[in-house]
Amino acid sequence: MRDPEVGERLRSALAGTTQRLGEAGVPSPSVDARALIAHAAGTERHLVLLDALPEAFEARLEELTVRRESREPLQIILGRAPFRRLMLAVRPGVFIPRPETELAVDILRERSRGPLTDVIDLCAGSGALGAAVLDEIPDSRVLSVEIDPAAAALAAENLERAGAGRGRILRADLLQDVPELSAHAPVDAVLSNPPYIPAGAVPRDAEVLRHDPHRALFGGGDDGLEVPRAVIAWARRLLRPGGLLVMEHADVQGPSTRRAADECGGFDHLSTARDLTGRDRFLVARRAPGEPADGSERLSR
Ligand code: GLN
């Protein structure tokens, strides 16, 4: 039997926390309040099912609420973020996986032809895309490439948990020559959520601006496409004929990323996939047959 006092403590926690988060400008105060309350209660169950609360519940909740009031991201406070069927580990200093990025895996599965066994995730961050591939595509193998050591360590954990022994990490800067990466060609698909925000743009949310590493946000160059262009060039080198690149970008970058892929060459089909709200969000590029994928090739056309 549930102690009636538990219900009272939960109700007052929910009302108080929701109000405080709302006043702090948190966009979804009641959803976040519930998540913090469950965390403070040491449960992942539905709150109405709780029949006991730890003695330190209020003190723990206070600590969590103060953090969220200061706009520390909910995922960092909880130490995890949902991504497709997975619950990924997240950590301060590493880009938090976003729900919009989840769509890249559907686009890949819908549009790819032939086997989907060897997949490379470029600019892997927490390893979200690669981990989802390992989880959802039986017998797939993933190489996740990431420049930042903290992100690479986290990605290694997330890959291992999603598909033990089938994921590998390579720490590399895609703006440089990377012979170990070239040696991985040919692969069936390249997925990427690279940094792409243009230099002059300022992320709207306090959580993003203050907590996501800027290296994971700003793509370089005035148009933000320096790293995305490198991703496209790597996809050209790495993909087998018919292999697919699916790369996330900002909603205004559909035409410019298609142009970048066209200028790079080596693709025979370019398109832009939209997100669920109809915005341009992913470059989809199919590797042309005819030229072997290799690390040294330069385009002349
Ligand atoms: N989508 C990011 C954001 O919402 C931008 C950078 C990225 O995803 N690669 O802030």
Side-chain angles (χ1 to χ4, degrees):
M1 255 291 283
R2 165 158 148 170
D3 183 344
E5 194 207 42
V6 169
E8 196 36 58
R9 285 168 75 195
L10 281 174
R11 262 191 299 281
S12 123
L14 189 57
T17 309
T18 303
Q19 181 172 354
R20 282 172 60 181
L21 297 185
E23 283 163 8
V26 172
S28 49
S30 106
V31 173
D32 286 31
R34 275 166 216 274
L36 295 183
I37 289 168
H39 199 60
T43 181
E44 285 177 30
R45 298 171 70 190
H46 215 287
L47 294 180
V48 291
L49 299 176
L50 286 187
D51 46 22
L53 282 173
E55 204 171 314
F57 169 71
E58 278 81 6
R60 275 189 216 159
L61 179 61
E62 175 61 26
E63 205 182 294
L64 301 175
T65 305
V66 168
R67 288 172 68 186
R68 191 69 188 100
E69 278 179 313
S70 80
R71 304 299 293 275
E72 189 171 343
L74 181 67
Q75 299 94 321
I76 297 290
I77 298 173
L78 302 179
R80 57 184 151 81
F83 191 81
R84 295 185 67 89
R85 308 194 306 196
L86 300 171
M87 193 54 87
L88 298 173
V90 302
R91 229 170 266 151
V94 182
F95 181 84
I96 298 170
R98 314 280 208 262
E100 59 263 36
T101 306
E102 293 179 318
L103 220 54
V105 182
D106 291 320
I107 296 166
L108 175 67
R109 301 196 70 173
E110 280 159 20
R111 305 210 186 175
S112 76
R113 298 193 203 123
L116 202 45
T117 310
D118 283 302
V119 177
I120 292 186
D121 177 8
L122 298 177
C123 307
S126 65
L129 282 170
V133 166
L134 290 177
D135 177 49
E136 296 178 44
I137 304 178
D139 302 323
S140 57
R141 292 182 292 260
V142 167
L143 177 70
S144 291
V145 184
E146 171 54 43
I147 190 170
D148 180 76
L154 181 63
E157 281 173 39
N158 281 321
L159 289 188
E160 189 55 23
R161 208 171 314 139
R166 293 189 287 126
R168 281 188 44 203
I169 306 287
L170 175 64
R171 261 194 66 203
D173 179 354
L174 297 179
L175 299 178
Q176 308 289 322
D177 190 26
V178 188
E180 307 96 287
L181 181 53
S182 303
H184 259 80
V187 297
D188 302 311
V190 171
L191 285 174
S192 183
N193 174 18
Y196 50 69
I197 299 180
V202 181
R204 223 175 308 121
D205 297 332
E207 287 83 352
V208 175
L209 195 58
R210 287 196 230 132
H211 293 274
D212 277 318
H214 285 194
R215 181 152 71 169
L217 298 175
F218 295 95
D222 287 346
D223 60 0
L225 292 180
E226 189 185 358
V227 176
R229 276 196 196 88
V231 166
I232 292 168
W234 274 109
R236 180 184 182 208
R237 289 180 212 159
L238 293 168
L239 288 170
R240 64 161 164 80
L244 212 62
L245 163 69
V246 180
M247 181 185 77
E248 183 177 313
H249 56 69
D251 55 7
V252 296
Q253 291 170 333
S256 52
T257 51
R258 287 198 307 275
R259 204 176 319 121
D262 190 42
E263 282 165 11
C264 170
F267 300 101
D268 64 358
H269 190 263
L270 298 175
S271 62
T272 298
R274 302 205 162 111
D275 67 13
L276 302 174
T277 67
R279 295 195 180 104
D280 287 354
R281 288 309 299 275
F282 300 91
L283 171 70
V284 185
R286 190 181 307 277
R287 183 70 169 87
E291 308 164 79
D294 82 46
S296 58
E297 196 186 351
R298 284 268 159 249
L299 173 73
S300 53
R301 52 181 232 141

